[in-house]
């Protein structure tokens, strides 16, 4: 550089899922299109993961009322309750379904992070009495974040019924099919409509990376649609997925993040729903 004092930016492009998992083990979960600023190691500040402005934790006196559990029990809200709360916060009734899905899922992510902060920040700041307590808390956080991945599927389930598709007739949600992994959605519902007609399988993977291979193998079906919020894939990966019988369903706003050569092969959520609406 001509100016040694100029800021320098380094980029690390992960080569595979293993590298991605290693990075997330250091900086925490990174959602598609959601930047995370990480301070230098050794910083004593416990809040070294700084969410961008649109994602900042809402101060206690400023935040909307948190979801509550039935009968006033002192239990954290479920993923489904957070999904319903995000729908109430972002109804967007006049907006296309692609827009509603993205906006509501962003709100769901905000609510989840706020809840996680409320539950575990006090313990993190005050310290743990012993290693067992630390590990127990870490396991609860890990399990909670795994459950968070279900948020997108539950969000879509709510949107489908909101758009007039009847669960149990037009589609079924995570039916038991005798495979390692049940599909997230089957259109029409199993046992509904003409048994001679083929069904459409939809898997939901917020971030696909290399996990699509495992998902297809565990589902045991030769051709599936996959809804994702991942911003872009390489041409090589897309061709590999297409050869495996996968059709990507990506909200319209994210299409520009994919190579121009493959954008016409992507489905929007709106076009997917139009295709499956009358299958039953």
């Amino acid at each position: 550089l001509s100016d040694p004092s100029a800021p320098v930016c380094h980029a690390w492009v992960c080569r595979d899922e293993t590298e991605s998992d290693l990075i997330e083990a250091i900086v925490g979960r990174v959602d598609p299109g959601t930047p995370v600023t990480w301070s230098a190691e050794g910083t004593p500040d416990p809040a070294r993961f700084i969410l961008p402005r649109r994602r900042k934790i809402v101060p206690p006196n400023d935040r909307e009322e948190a979801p509550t559990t039935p009968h006033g029990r002192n239990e954290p809200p479920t993923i489904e309750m957070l999904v319903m709360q995000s729908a109430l916060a972002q109804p967007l009734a006049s907006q296309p379904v692609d827009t509603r899905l993205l906006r509501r899922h962003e709100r769901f992510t905000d609510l989840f992070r706020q809840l996680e902060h409320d539950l575990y920040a006090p313990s993190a700041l005050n310290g743990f009495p012993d290693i067992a307590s630390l590990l127990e808390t870490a396991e609860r956080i890990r399990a909670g974040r795994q459950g968070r991945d279900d948020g997108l599927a539950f969000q879509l389930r709510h949107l489908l019924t909101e758009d007039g598709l009847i669960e149990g007739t037009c589609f079924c949600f995570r039916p038991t099919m005798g495979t390692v992994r049940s599909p997230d959605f089957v259109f029409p519902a199993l046992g509904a409509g003409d048994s001679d007609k083929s069904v459409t399988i939809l898997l939901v993977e917020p971030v696909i990376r290399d996990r699509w291979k495992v998902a297809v193998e565990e589902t045991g079906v030769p051709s599936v649609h996959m809804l994702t919020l991942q911003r872009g894939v390489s041409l090589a990966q897309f061709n590999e997925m297409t050869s495996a019988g996968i059709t990507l369903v990506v909200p319209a706003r994210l299409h520009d993040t994919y190579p121009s050569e493959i954008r016409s092969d992507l489905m929007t959520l709106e076009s997917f729903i139009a295709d499956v609406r009358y299958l039953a």
Side-chain angles (χ1 to χ4, degrees), residues 123 126-134 137:
S123 297
N126 296 329
F128 299 90
D130 50 49
I131 293 296
S133 300
L134 171 62
T137 300

Side-chain angles (χ1 to χ4, degrees), residues 221-278:
V221 292
S223 179
V224 301
H225 290 71
M226 184 173 289
L227 173 67
T228 185
L229 302 185
Q230 180 162 311
R231 291 175 175 253
V233 297
S234 68
L235 285 174
Q237 184 181 29
F238 181 79
N239 290 334
E240 190 178 0
M241 295 175 70
T242 301
S243 299
I246 293 177
T247 300
L248 283 183
V249 181
V250 182
R253 197 180 78 193
L254 303 182
H255 281 209
D256 287 346
T257 65
Y258 286 74
S260 58
E261 298 93 326
I262 65 176
R263 290 174 194 165
S264 61
D265 295 317
L266 303 175
M267 292 190 75
T268 63
L269 180 57
E270 183 175 11
S271 63
F272 175 80
I273 292 177
D275 282 356
V276 301
R277 184 178 293 278
Y278 302 109

Side-chain angles (χ1 to χ4, degrees), residues 67-70 72-78 81 115 119:
T68 56
T69 50
R73 294 194 300 267
N74 185 25
E75 301 173 4
T78 64
M81 293 175 66
L115 175 65
L119 288 174

Side-chain angles (χ1 to χ4, degrees), residues 57-66 114 117-118:
I57 297 296
V58 181
N61 296 332
D62 245 0
R63 70 183 56 181
E64 65 183 60
E65 185 177 352
Q114 176 180 304
H117 180 271
D118 291 346

Side-chain angles (χ1 to χ4, degrees), residues 90-263:
Q90 299 280 358
L92 304 170
S94 63
Q95 296 296 313
V97 66
D98 292 73
T99 301
R100 277 179 282 152
L101 179 69
L102 282 179
R103 292 280 297 277
R104 290 180 184 181
H105 193 64
E106 288 171 355
R107 191 69 190 123
F108 165 81
T109 302
D110 289 343
L111 289 170
F112 183 92
R113 286 174 169 165
Q114 176 180 304
L115 175 65
E116 186 179 65
H117 180 271
D118 291 346
L119 288 174
Y120 301 114
S123 297
L125 292 172
N126 296 329
F128 299 90
D130 50 49
I131 293 296
S133 300
L134 171 62
L135 294 177
E136 182 181 345
T137 300
E139 178 59 26
R140 287 201 299 267
I141 293 174
R142 185 194 66 81
R145 292 186 176 186
Q146 285 183 333
R148 182 180 67 169
D149 289 343
D150 286 336
L152 183 60
F154 281 106
Q155 201 74 255
L156 177 58
R157 183 190 191 186
H158 180 74
L159 283 170
L160 290 174
T161 56
E162 189 175 84
D163 276 21
L165 278 72
I166 302 172
E167 184 171 357
T169 301
C170 300
F171 71 93
C172 52
F173 180 65
R174 295 183 174 172
T176 301
M177 296 183 64
T179 55
V180 176
R181 168 179 171 169
S182 295
D184 294 294
F185 295 90
V186 178
F187 303 85
L190 298 177
D194 188 344
S195 59
D196 293 332
K197 290 184 178 180
S198 61
V199 298
T200 297
I201 302 294
L202 178 68
L203 303 179
V204 178
E205 291 286 345
V207 181
I208 47 180
R209 296 177 183 156
D210 290 332
R211 296 185 179 118
W212 64 269
K213 299 177 183 178
V214 176
V216 171
E217 289 173 1
E218 291 180 343
T219 306
V221 292
S223 179
V224 301
H225 290 71
M226 184 173 289
L227 173 67
T228 185
L229 302 185
Q230 180 162 311
R231 291 175 175 253
V233 297
S234 68
L235 285 174
Q237 184 181 29
F238 181 79
N239 290 334
E240 190 178 0
M241 295 175 70
T242 301
S243 299
I246 293 177
T247 300
L248 283 183
V249 181
V250 182
R253 197 180 78 193
L254 303 182
H255 281 209
D256 287 346
T257 65
Y258 286 74
S260 58
E261 298 93 326
I262 65 176
R263 290 174 194 165

